[in-house]
Amino acid sequence: MAGDIKAGENFLRELTPFIFRKYLDYAAIADIHSIKRQIHAHKGHGAIAVKGHNVKLGRGGIREIEFFAQTQQLIAGGRMPALRVRATQEALAALTEAKWIDAETRDSLTDAYWFLREVEHRIQMVRDEQTHVLPDTEAELKRIAFMLGFEDTKAFSEKLEEVLRLVERRYSALFEQEVKLSGEAGNLVFTGQKDDPDTLKTLSALGFERPEDISRVIRTWHNGRYRATQSVEARERLTELTPDLLRAFGESKRADEALLRFDNFLSGLPAGIQLFSLLGNNPALLDLLVTIMSSAPRLAEIIAARPHVFDGMLDPALMSDIPTRDYLAHRMGSFLSNARHYEDILDRLRIFAAEQRFLIGVRLLTGAIRGEVAARAFTHLADLVIEAALNAVLAEMEAAHGPYPGGRVAVMGMGKLGSFELTAGSDVDLILLYDYDDAAHESTGAKPLDVVRYFTRVTQRLIAALSAPTAEGVLYEVDMRLRPSGNKGPVATRISAFEKYQREEAWTWEHMALSRARLICGDASLMEDARRIIASVLSQKRDVAKVSADVLEMRSLIEQEKPPENNWDFKLINGGLIDLEFIAQYLALVGPAKGLAAHEPGRNTAEALQALAAPVMEPQAFDDCMAAMGLYTEISQIVRLCIDGTFNPKEAPAGLTDLVCRAGDCPDIPTLEGEVKRLAKAVRKAFVAVVKNGG
């Protein structure tokens, strides 16, 4: 036992400064508390006292303060390098800065730590040996009290007990949770082959409509038939978790359906200890998991495939921190800081992007952010990932083939990427532009390439870096059909050819697409050149009648070739997102002839409508269009987060139906459907008035 305690004393001291994994081992975190329980169980380390109390290993002692800091360092240090410090006081300060603990906790534990260290030093001075145990005799205890500046042992004892109990409360709040299989809800027994009658009554009382089916499912878990429950330890932790799990699922609508979805998720997990340990120590995460299972099958699939995405849920500032570009850039920089080579960078980008997409989605799911904020966050994340991938690709190209003399590369985002309107399931539309020194004929490396092959290879490698499947998944599906000449043209376009094409060959629909273009990353001077060309093209005065005819023809073709799946297909319905986007894009093209505001890159559709449509539309029509844009955005973001495909109330999970109604600020689906029809009719009328009738 003494050897176990010694190992426990050194466990975190040795582990914390060096091990910060890409994936957090929640089972290891749970084992930390197991070590502490072993220490407490050893003689002399149990109840709080004064005489004979071990100020280092006993309850409320120095080790609990160290464990308090070090376990949280292990949890968050993988993505927050600032937490990777040795000193306890420095660790508490860093945890406060990262919002893992508040200032009052930091100050109280820091004061307690140094007080206990002072007591420890006096014990060792009196006994002249390496010990942490207070003396049993009044005389020796009095000496220590006097050395610490107390008037008598009573004053010292009161202060020491106050400190020990404070530390114990802080530590217990972090770790110690009593788990009971049978609680207030009633009996829960899942052993044997037959259903326990009291258990069926309990399941029914908890909210399950088919308790026999639920009992059979849970017996499957505890019989170890899934990979996630094959180990004894996993089953033990799942057993402890089961009462809370059933309570949480029972409180959701269509509880049986939600729990069966969790069962499907559990059946595909390669291992369960990590997840069970995490949920057992975080009731709020358990409630969130139930929300996901009852409303968001798509997120459930992500968790099943990559359980590590749950790591970020432990960040206490998650719901209060808005995922701005600066926020995401800081976190990505920390996560990529230790990448050693090209493949490692791409793997880390995939891990980071998957986790952050999930966390943005969680904020959206819980109502912490609205749809438009989520759209910007998803887009900022894509921008940063594409930029990091491009930089890695260019470095690899230069290492293999050398730089190209005068070579410049820039990436332009189109579609929803260009207009800050990505969803959780969006692909990315890209155009790669380049330029070079006309006098150069090939790159300058050991394996030189001519200009076409060089920049074509840059583009192909960038596409592969983003879309090639690896063990960590895919970053983004890449669509390059909006490049000049479409699929028939080269994958990379020289800036001069891009300008010539836009001025002389591009069709009206391509100029409409250009109104949503935005330069994302690359050489600053080339990006500025591209912006200048786009601004010049979009500032031309056009034949309004021709543009109107082209836009109407294109909308008619879309209606014929891609009819909407149902009334909830907001993109394709008459009066849907395409109509709103076409109004904004049409006005961007005819704006110079009509004296409207100049084009500004990076505006979303709502901002473009505000700038361009407000001056030419009837106030009520404009208000209806803005209301429709807001409603479509909110619901579309939720739907694309939760499921693949179009929303159908008859087939959607119960939780998703509730979320859609919440997003639409309506009490039920029939009311929301009526509002959608009303606004869609108004948008289609506005589309005809603006595009066909000229205002």
Side-chain angles (χ1 to χ4, degrees), residues 255-372:
D256 302 65
E257 177 186 311
L259 189 131
L260 290 175
R261 188 172 290 114
F262 177 77
D263 173 65
N264 182 61
F265 154 69
L266 197 62
S267 69
L269 279 181
I273 294 176
Q274 294 181 354
L275 183 64
F276 303 152
S277 300
L278 171 63
L279 295 175
N281 286 289
N282 294 272
L285 294 191
L286 175 57
D287 290 340
L288 176 61
L289 181 65
V290 172
T291 299
I292 290 171
M293 293 300 157
S294 65
S295 59
R298 192 170 180 275
L299 285 184
E301 291 174 3
I302 292 172
I303 302 170
R306 297 176 184 81
H308 67 83
V309 299
F310 244 48
D311 292 1
M313 286 301 303
L314 293 176
D315 188 342
L318 174 65
M319 296 304 174
S320 59
D321 284 344
I322 303 299
T324 62
R325 183 183 180 91
D326 289 344
Y327 172 93
L328 294 168
H330 175 73
R331 299 211 166 219
M332 189 175 80
S334 297
F335 199 75
L336 295 181
S337 60
N338 294 324
R340 296 289 180 264
H341 48 77
Y342 180 69
E343 288 76 15
D344 190 21
I345 292 172
L346 298 189
D347 275 346
R348 284 173 177 263
L349 280 175
R350 280 162 168 73
I351 294 166
F352 177 79
E355 179 177 301
Q356 292 302 322
R357 270 197 299 262
F358 177 79
L359 295 178
I360 293 167
V362 165
R363 293 179 177 97
L364 178 63
L365 197 69
T366 58
I369 60 176
R370 301 282 293 177
E372 185 176 346

Side-chain angles (χ1 to χ4, degrees), residues 450-681:
D450 64 70
V451 65
V452 173
R453 286 197 298 164
Y454 190 91
F455 291 105
T456 297
R457 193 163 298 181
V458 167
T459 308
Q460 291 169 338
R461 286 197 175 188
L462 177 61
I463 295 171
L466 296 173
S467 61
T470 72
E472 302 299 343
V474 171
L475 275 170
Y476 294 98
E477 296 295 338
V478 177
D479 189 341
M480 301 197 75
R481 288 174 296 178
L482 289 177
R483 68 185 186 270
S485 302
N487 288 337
K488 297 180 181 179
V491 293
T493 305
R494 192 177 185 185
I495 188 70
S496 56
F498 172 77
E499 180 173 15
K500 183 176 186 297
Y501 182 87
Q502 293 296 336
R503 293 189 184 281
E504 299 176 9
E505 302 176 46
W507 294 8
T508 298
W509 71 265
E510 291 175 293
H511 283 165
M512 291 171 66
L514 198 64
S515 71
R516 300 174 79 185
R518 180 172 58 87
L519 275 298
I520 292 174
C521 59
D523 179 86
S525 63
L526 186 59
M527 292 171 70
E528 187 55 40
D529 288 345
R531 291 190 191 100
R532 174 186 53 77
I533 292 168
I534 293 170
S536 176
V537 170
L538 294 179
S539 66
Q540 296 174 2
K541 292 185 178 181
R542 304 168 192 272
D543 182 335
V544 174
K546 182 180 184 307
V547 174
S548 175
D550 289 346
V551 172
L552 291 170
E553 180 184 9
M554 184 160 43
R555 185 66 182 100
S556 177
L557 286 173
I558 292 174
E559 289 177 2
Q560 295 172 26
E561 296 179 6
K562 292 184 177 181
E565 293 184 26
N566 58 28
N567 290 335
W568 301 93
D569 190 347
F570 294 149
K571 180 178 180 179
L572 295 173
I573 59 172
N574 285 338
L577 284 168
I578 286 184
D579 282 356
L580 289 166
E581 291 167 358
F582 274 24
I583 290 172
Q585 293 165 21
Y586 165 79
L587 291 174
L589 297 191
V590 302
K594 287 179 169 287
L596 299 177
H599 167 75
E600 289 185 16
R603 288 191 297 212
N604 63 27
T605 303
E607 291 167 338
L609 289 171
Q610 185 71 51
L612 300 172
V616 301
M617 292 175 65
E618 293 292 333
Q620 185 59 55
F622 174 75
D623 289 344
D624 286 340
C625 284
M626 295 302 290
M629 190 70 221
L631 180 67
Y632 297 160
T633 297
E634 289 296 328
I635 297 178
S636 296
Q637 285 288 340
I638 288 288
V639 169
R640 292 301 301 275
L641 175 70
C642 294
I643 60 174
D644 293 316
T646 304
F647 175 70
N648 184 336
K650 295 180 180 179
E651 301 174 359
L656 176 56
T657 301
D658 290 343
L659 289 173
V660 167
C661 289
R662 185 191 74 185
D665 196 22
C666 287
D668 51 45
I669 286 295
T671 303
L672 179 59
E673 189 167 17
E675 180 67 1
V676 169
K677 289 179 179 178
R678 181 186 73 81
L679 290 174
K681 184 177 180 180

